[in-house]
């Protein structure tokens, strides 16, 4: 596991220099462009008769808190299933999310909240930045263990820009509905990561095959991430929706969809498993597919039955994907998907987008009443028919897939630059490359003795 002195020096300098460069650049941009919004600025908020209880903070912060826990605890621990990559999973999640929150505040701010030459920030911008970080972490899951921290930061630098652009096209230009991000977060993040993984394909990855699996305690820690994500997913989908019945309905639909995806996961896992035994990989991931699949449609009149049906189908598809489709991705398409993001985020995300097409096409004044204006304002105002809205929803899916595919390809070419530090094939999925690991020296000494004995 020895590195050449030249390469070790390069690794020592690349990450500190890039971190300082990125932080310095974002700090300068913040100083120039970022300002508090009306509900955060002391002078503006107190200019007029307002009750402090009316401040957006008290309505949005509980949802933000849940989403924030999902990003840092949920995603971080979900990826610790690799037996010797726990530090990398949690630590690089921490690093990527912290950078993405700053960078996405700028990018999304220029697209959505640029007023009078300034980006105005508040609770909504914090939630949206967390959503963007979620997409970056989904992509990270596809290349987990096969890239260095410098490569990951550069991936985030590019992906946040494309995420913001795709989100602007869908939500502002096409005016599609996607509150929980089936398209903008899950589909985009998954296929960006999958194409990135394809470009970074390693034909000799078999050399580290023994490190790709899990052990008992790593799977147990990964379940911590699953449980946090499962509990807080209703907040994730409902956080950006309109207050009142829309937010209430979104949380309820997500709640029921998750329960159904959990049952279908257990059913299918036992059905396709050896001797009827459950696979912890299925439970850790596919049980969450119910939250992904209703991301687009949860604020619509999906109905509780519709939420259950969608969640059950998503859990089944995700479980079957882990069992049968992941091996095909690697053997036939040369896509090495470490976390199986195609099964948890990709396929359920696309299914969720198509479900949004269906439910939007069925929207009527009779079903929504006066609430139609808050969910589908263009239909309520007569500017679009329900069919037209459905077609815009479908086109939004194709736009997302295009941005993700092109962006993933460009990102892969960027990360393949020879100057960038990446782990060799035989040392992927190994914390000791980038982290000080307790007992590392003893482990290395033991490995050297075994090598000498074999010689």
């Amino acid at each position: 596991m020895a590195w050449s002195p030249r390469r070790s020096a390069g690794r020592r300098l690349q990450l500190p220099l890039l971190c300082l460069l990125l932080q310095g650049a974002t700090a300068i941009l913040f100083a120039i462009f970022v300002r508090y919004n009306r509900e955060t600025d002391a002078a503006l908020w107190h200019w007029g008769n307002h009750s402090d209880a009316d401040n957006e903070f008290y309505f949005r912060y509980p949802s933000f808190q849940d989403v924030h826990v999902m990003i840092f605890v949920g995603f971080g621990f979900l990826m610790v299933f690799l037996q010797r990559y726990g530090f990398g999973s949690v630590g690089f999640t921490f690093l990527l999310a912290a950078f993405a929150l700053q960078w996405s505040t700028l990018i999304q701010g220029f697209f959505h909240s640029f007023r009078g030459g300034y980006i105005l920030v508040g609770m909504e911008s914090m939630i949206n930045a967390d959503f963007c970080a979620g997409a970056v972490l989904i992509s990270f899951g596809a290349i987990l263990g096969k890239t260095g921290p410098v490569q990951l930061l550069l991936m985030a630098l590019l992906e946040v820009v494309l995420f913001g652009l795709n989100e602007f096209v869908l939500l502002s230009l096409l005016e599609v509905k996607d509150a929980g991000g089936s398209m903008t977060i899950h589909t985009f993040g998954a296929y960006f990561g999958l194409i990135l993984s394809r470009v970074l394909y390693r034909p000799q990855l078999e050399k580290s095959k023994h490190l790709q699996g899990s052990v008992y305690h790593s799977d147990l820690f990964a379940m911590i991430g699953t449980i946090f994500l499962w509990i807080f997913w209703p907040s994730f989908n409902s956080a950006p929706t309109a207050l009142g019945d829309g937010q209430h309905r979104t949380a309820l639909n997500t709640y029921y969809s998750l329960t159904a995806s959990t049952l279908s996961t257990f059913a299918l896992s036992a059905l396709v498993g050896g001797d009827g035994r459950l696979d912890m990989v299925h439970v850790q991931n596919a049980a969450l597919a119910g939250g992904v699949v209703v991301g687009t449609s949860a604020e619509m009149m999906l109905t509780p039955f519709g939420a259950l049906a969608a969640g059950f189908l998503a859990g089944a598809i995700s479980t079957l994907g882990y069992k049968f489709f992941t091996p095909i991705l690697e053997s036939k398409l040369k896509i090495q998907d470490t976390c199986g993001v195609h099964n948890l985020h990709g396929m359920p995300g696309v299914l969720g987008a198509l479900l949004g097409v269906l439910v939007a096409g069925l929207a009527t004044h009779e079903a929504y009443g006066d609430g139609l204006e808050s969910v589908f304002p263009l239909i309520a105002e007569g500017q679009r028919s329900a069919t037209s809205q459905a077609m815009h929803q479908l086109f939004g899916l194709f736009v997302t897939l295009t941005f993700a595919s092109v962006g993933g390809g460009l990102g892969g070419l960027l990360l393949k630059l020879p100057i960038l530090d990446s782990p060799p094939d035989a040392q992927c999925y190994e914390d000791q490359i980038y982290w000080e690991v307790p007992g590392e020296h003893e482990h290395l000494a033991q490995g050297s003795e075994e090598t000498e004995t074999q010689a």
Side-chain angles (χ1 to χ4, degrees):
M1 200 172 290
W3 297 72
S4 67
R6 183 177 179 181
R7 191 169 186 183
S8 294
R11 188 169 83 256
R12 180 186 294 272
L13 290 175
Q14 280 188 6
L15 182 59
L17 289 177
L18 184 59
C19 285
L20 293 173
L21 176 64
L22 293 176
Q23 184 58 78
T26 52
I28 292 171
L29 291 172
F30 264 62
I32 297 172
F33 292 109
V34 178
R35 300 291 185 271
Y36 296 129
N37 69 5
R38 179 179 174 277
E39 302 208 13
T40 315
D41 186 277
L44 295 177
W45 175 250
H46 290 282
W47 188 26
N49 295 320
H50 300 288
S51 168
D52 287 341
D54 293 333
N55 194 287
E56 184 184 33
F57 176 87
Y58 297 100
F59 299 100
R60 297 292 187 188
Y61 189 77
S63 295
F64 161 75
Q65 202 170 26
D66 294 350
V67 173
H68 215 46
V69 169
M70 289 179 67
I71 297 301
F72 287 92
V73 179
F75 277 105
F77 276 90
L78 182 64
M79 291 190 264
V80 300
F81 67 95
L82 292 171
Q83 55 185 292
R84 291 191 58 82
Y85 204 69
F87 287 7
S89 298
V90 176
F92 292 150
T93 292
F94 198 7
L95 173 66
L96 284 178
F99 169 64
L101 294 181
Q102 297 182 59
W103 185 226
S104 60
T105 296
L106 292 165
I107 298 300
Q108 292 176 306
F110 283 122
F111 282 124
H112 299 295
S113 58
F114 196 64
R115 306 285 187 272
Y118 296 113
I119 295 170
L120 305 180
V121 296
M123 286 307 310
E124 187 175 344
S125 63
M126 291 168 66
I127 292 171
N128 289 333
D130 267 355
F131 281 174
C132 182
V136 172
L137 295 178
I138 290 168
S139 301
F140 173 42
I143 57 174
L144 182 71
K146 300 176 293 184
T147 47
V150 171
Q151 291 175 301
L152 293 172
L153 283 172
L154 291 176
M155 176 197 77
L157 184 69
L158 172 64
E159 186 172 2
V160 167
V161 175
L162 294 174
F163 175 92
L165 182 58
N166 179 65
E167 185 184 54
F168 175 73
V169 172
L170 263 65
L171 303 186
S172 299
L173 300 184
L174 296 178
E175 296 191 58
V176 305
K177 306 300 290 187
D178 191 37
S182 289
M183 291 183 282
T184 55
I185 301 171
H186 301 287
T187 301
F188 178 84
Y191 289 100
F192 184 100
L194 291 169
I195 299 300
L196 185 67
S197 180
R198 175 62 184 88
V199 177
L200 298 177
Y201 176 71
R202 291 172 176 257
Q204 302 299 320
L205 196 59
E206 285 290 327
K207 294 179 179 179
S208 56
K209 187 74 174 178
H210 62 289
L211 295 172
Q212 291 186 41
S214 61
V215 291
Y216 189 85
H217 69 268
S218 67
D219 270 334
L220 192 59
F221 273 108
M223 272 303 294
I224 295 175
T226 298
I227 296 301
F228 268 97
L229 290 169
W230 199 95
I231 290 173
F232 290 131
W233 214 297
S235 294
F236 187 92
N237 283 350
S238 64
T241 55
L243 300 177
D245 66 286
Q247 196 167 52
H248 193 167
R249 185 169 55 251
T250 304
L252 200 68
N253 286 331
T254 307
Y255 173 86
Y256 287 125
S257 183
L258 285 165
T259 61
S261 65
T262 301
L263 265 68
S264 65
T265 296
F266 274 82
L268 267 294
S269 183
L271 188 63
V272 301
D275 300 324
R277 290 181 295 179
L278 298 166
D279 189 329
M280 185 57 86
V281 172
H282 302 160
V283 176
Q284 288 165 359
N285 296 278
L288 300 171
V292 177
V293 76
V294 295
T296 297
S297 59
E299 68 173 324
M300 305 175 190
M301 290 293 286
L302 178 61
T303 74
F305 168 77
L308 287 174
F312 191 90
L313 180 60
I317 290 175
S318 182
T319 304
L320 295 175
Y322 276 100
K323 180 66 176 179
F324 300 110
F325 200 47
T326 295
I328 296 175
L329 277 180
E330 182 167 355
S331 62
K332 303 298 184 183
L333 302 180
K334 301 187 186 305
I335 296 175
Q336 296 158 328
D337 182 8
T338 305
C339 290
V341 300
H342 185 250
N343 309 309
L344 172 54
H345 301 280
M347 291 190 294
V350 171
L351 181 62
L354 296 177
L355 179 62
V357 172
L358 174 63
V359 181
L362 296 175
T364 63
H365 286 275
E366 289 74 22
Y368 288 82
D370 293 338
L372 184 64
E373 186 173 359
S374 64
V375 182
F376 295 112
L378 295 180
I379 297 178
E381 296 166 4
Q383 298 182 37
R384 278 184 191 170
S385 65
T387 302
S388 175
Q389 181 66 41
M391 290 300 99
H392 278 79
Q393 297 283 144
L394 183 60
F395 185 60
L397 173 61
F398 290 123
V399 170
T400 297
L401 290 171
T402 301
F403 271 112
S405 301
V406 173
L410 292 175
L413 295 176
L414 174 63
L415 269 57
K416 286 184 74 172
L417 291 175
I419 192 175
L420 299 180
D421 177 49
S422 64
D425 292 329
Q427 296 167 355
C428 290
Y429 316 112
E430 173 61 74
D431 272 334
Q432 293 182 38
I433 300 295
Y434 298 106
W435 298 86
E436 290 284 350
V437 180
E440 173 185 1
H441 299 296
E442 291 81 356
H443 176 74
L444 291 176
Q446 182 182 0
S448 299
E449 291 174 1
E450 291 176 354
T451 301
E452 291 175 1
T453 302
Q454 292 172 359

